[in-house]
Each structure stands twice: as structure tokens, then as C-alpha cells.
Amino acid sequence: MSIAPGIEVIPVPIPYPFKYVNCYLLLGEGAVLVDCALDTPEARGALETGLARHGLKFGDLERLVLTHHHPDHYGLAGLIEAEGVPVYLLDVELERGHPFWTEPEAMNRTGLELFRRHGVPDEALSNLGREMDKTRSRVHAPGNPRTFRDGEVLELAGQRWRAVWTPGHADGHAMLLRESDGVLLAGDHVLERISPNIGVWAYSYPDPLGLYLESLEKARGLEVSLALPGHYRPLRDLRGRIAELAAHHHERLDYLLGLMNGEPKTCWELSLGLFPGELSLPQRRFAWSETLAHLEYLVNLGAVERSEDGTIRYSSTVHSLAPGRRA
Ligand SMILES: [Zn+2]
């Protein structure tokens, strides 16, 4: 389906709550794919069918460009590269995101250490190894990825796209802006229906929420006529959505501070309050990492203190970031 001049969207089914990832096919002088889903039979079939509608196979692509290293955007990259297609990602993502797939033992070990230091109970980690193995079986890391830099202009299918580094959802998350008409390939930086996960993981920057809020400001400064995100529908009013997302995080920060009166608590305990209700174990771990990002942001602001005696705990030094905003 054509979504803007020279841009086709290929919605690809993925086994995650989003249900689909949007892969974008740039057509002009050649064909370039932006993001590639992960290796399930359904996803691969949908992507191959989407390309075949334009008479293309993986090997006909001039390049594959990845917005970030998460499996739903990156998983088929190694297979497409094996068809002779160069794979590109931001230099920061090569350094910081790509190793998650190429150094699995070290990543699993440091990830487990981080969960434990933060008081995540063993039963919440019970299936972690098996789940990681399943995800890794659906991801083929590119063996020889090429890089681009923040601000660099890339010639993709004869179109000029400027790379915009937007750390937060992933350290090396990149958007691409076609400055001639303001079309933005937004990756998962700004989504329509949900707030993209902003989490601390063992290998990520220590304050991803601080970076994310800065990246939202950076995106707000761009002249965008149409934002094409990694999931859900296109956004016409990018600045409006950015304001909603920033407000959402500030509300969550205040709510988290409200949970912290009294005893120092672990991030796990606080995550149960910030995300109450039934969640699957993988969702619980995302909730934990999102809570941790909010806590570490508050530590940086001086609103929360971190202490460690084998287990890391947090206590608040203020009741609210914006006195009077909460009833
Ligand atoms: Zn995604």
C-alpha cells in the first residue's frame, strides 16, 4: 500500500502485543527496505509477499536500513544480508544494541545480575532462559553491518533522508527524515496508541527516560508533515502526540513518587504498584524495566535516593515533582 510518494508500507504480523510491525519500502532509483520484522513463518511470508507485489525479492534490495536493534525490527537482517543486501544502522546502535544478539552469554549474565540486584524474585525469572532462547531463534544478526551517523544524509532509492538519533526506546534508535516534504520514518520513538517502552536494561544507558524526553524535544523541533511509525497508524500531528507522551511520563513520575512514602523499596516492589493488575511474566519484566527508568530519572533529578546492601532500594526525598498538580 502506498502511504506517501515513493513509500510503501508492508504491515508484517509479529507475535507481540502490537500484532504488526510496519516495514517501509522506499521505491525510486532502486528499492530500500526500512526495518524487517523477525523470523517467524508468518512474518517472513508477509514480508516476501509484500516485496513480491513490486516484483522484488530480498536479493533485489539495494539496502536494508534498521531503526533499532529490537527483534521486531531487526530479526531478519542476517538472512536478508545473506542475499547480498548491505545492512545499515546507526553507529551508536552497532556499538550498543547489536551486541545484545552477538554476545548472548555476556548479555544473559549481566541481565540476570541486574534483575537480582534490583530484588526481582526468582519465580519472575523462571522462564527467562527459555524465552530468550525462543527470541534469539527468531533473530539473525547481520554479520557485517554498515553504519551511518546522526545527521548524515543517506541516499535511499534516490531519495534524500537525514538520520536523526533519538535515544530512549533504544540507545541507538534512529529516525529518518525526508526534508523535501517532511515525511518521517519514526521507528518506535513516537507511537499512536501506546507509550513506547522506555526501560533500563543491563546494557542500556543508565538514564534512558532522561534521554527519551530530550529526544522528544529533538523530534518536536523537526518540520514533519507525516510521521510513519514502526507500529500502528501514521501520525499527522506529531507535536500533539509528543506533548501527550511527555505529559504521560511526568504523570507517571508523580504517581511513582506517591508510591514511595515511607520505607525504601525495591524497583520490583514499586513496579507492582506502578503497573498493578495481571501481567504475563515478560510483561512484568518490561514493567520493571520501565519503572527502573523512571526511578533512575528521579535519582538524577535528586528527587529519589538509591541505596544498596546487596539489593538496590529507592526512597523519595520529595513528594511530587510539581507541587499542586496532584490533588
Ligand atoms: Zn517495535
Side-chain angles (χ1 to χ4, degrees):
M1 184 179 35
S2 175
I3 200 154
I7 308 174
E8 304 282 320
V9 59
I10 306 176
V12 177
I14 51 173
Y16 296 129
F18 311 115
K19 299 213 164 51
Y20 288 90
V21 61
N22 296 321
C23 301
Y24 294 101
L25 179 63
L26 311 180
L27 293 172
E29 294 156 30
V32 168
L33 186 66
V34 178
D35 287 347
C36 62
L38 76 179
D39 191 12
T40 64
E42 297 77 22
R44 202 162 154 179
L47 190 54
E48 284 173 336
T49 305
L51 292 174
R53 276 199 199 106
H54 303 279
L56 297 167
K57 299 189 298 297
F58 286 148
D60 298 322
L61 295 167
E62 178 194 309
R63 291 187 194 192
L64 168 65
V65 180
L66 306 172
T67 58
H68 61 298
H69 76 286
H70 293 166
D72 48 333
H73 299 259
Y74 165 110
L76 281 163
L79 292 186
I80 296 174
E81 183 189 53
E83 299 296 319
V85 180
V87 177
Y88 285 78
L89 72 177
L90 192 76
D91 51 3
V92 181
E93 199 64 340
L94 178 67
E95 198 185 307
R96 304 188 57 86
H98 178 70
F100 184 75
W101 306 109
T102 54
E103 298 166 23
E105 289 84 17
M107 289 294 159
N108 288 354
R109 192 176 56 247
T110 53
L112 216 53
E113 279 166 16
L114 186 73
F115 282 128
R116 295 230 160 91
R117 281 177 65 204
H118 281 279
V120 179
D122 279 346
E123 71 255 26
L125 301 172
S126 56
N127 278 331
L128 185 58
R130 216 172 316 142
E131 284 161 20
M132 283 314 303
D133 288 348
K134 190 167 166 194
T135 302
R136 290 186 185 286
S137 73
R138 293 166 165 171
V139 171
H140 309 280
N144 182 29
R146 329 278 174 97
T147 59
F148 54 87
R149 294 183 313 280
D150 181 29
E152 186 174 337
V153 173
L154 310 175
E155 280 276 332
L156 305 174
Q159 308 171 18
R160 289 169 60 83
W161 292 86
R162 189 177 297 279
V164 185
W165 179 36
T166 41
H169 179 65
D171 290 356
H173 186 282
M175 307 195 296
L176 294 167
L177 176 65
R178 192 164 69 182
E179 289 168 319
S180 61
D181 62 356
V183 174
L184 180 74
L185 297 175
D188 285 356
H189 185 46
V190 178
L191 300 175
E192 180 199 14
R193 288 170 49 186
I194 60 158
S195 167
N197 172 249
I198 309 301
V200 173
W201 304 100
Y203 60 94
S204 64
Y205 287 131
D207 180 16
L209 181 58
L211 290 170
Y212 181 67
L213 294 172
E214 280 173 29
S215 295
L216 284 181
E217 279 304 299
K218 187 174 183 181
R220 205 160 67 87
L222 302 174
E223 287 306 321
V224 175
S225 60
L226 178 69
L228 303 175
H231 309 276
Y232 305 121
R233 291 182 305 183
L235 296 156
R236 289 270 168 205
D237 180 14
L238 181 68
R239 287 183 181 140
R241 185 62 186 140
I242 285 171
E244 288 173 1
L245 288 168
H248 163 80
H249 285 294
H250 286 104
E251 275 168 32
R252 300 291 278 166
L253 288 164
D254 262 349
Y255 189 77
L256 182 57
L257 280 173
L259 296 174
M260 299 186 73
N261 296 326
E263 294 283 286
K265 295 191 174 97
T266 66
C267 177
W268 179 257
E269 291 164 342
L270 290 163
S271 74
L272 298 174
L274 191 61
F275 294 88
E278 280 288 305
L279 292 181
S280 68
L281 275 187
Q283 287 171 326
R284 273 272 150 237
R285 292 191 290 263
F286 273 100
W288 165 83
S289 93
E290 180 107 11
T291 305
L292 187 51
H294 285 74
L295 285 168
E296 288 297 321
Y297 179 77
L298 291 169
V299 169
N300 267 0
L301 286 186
V304 160
E305 279 172 353
R306 185 198 310 113
S307 62
E308 178 161 13
D309 61 353
T311 301
I312 298 172
R313 290 186 170 79
Y314 295 88
S315 48
S316 56
T317 60
V318 299
H319 293 300
S320 167
L321 285 184
R325 226 173 71 197
R326 235 187 22 245

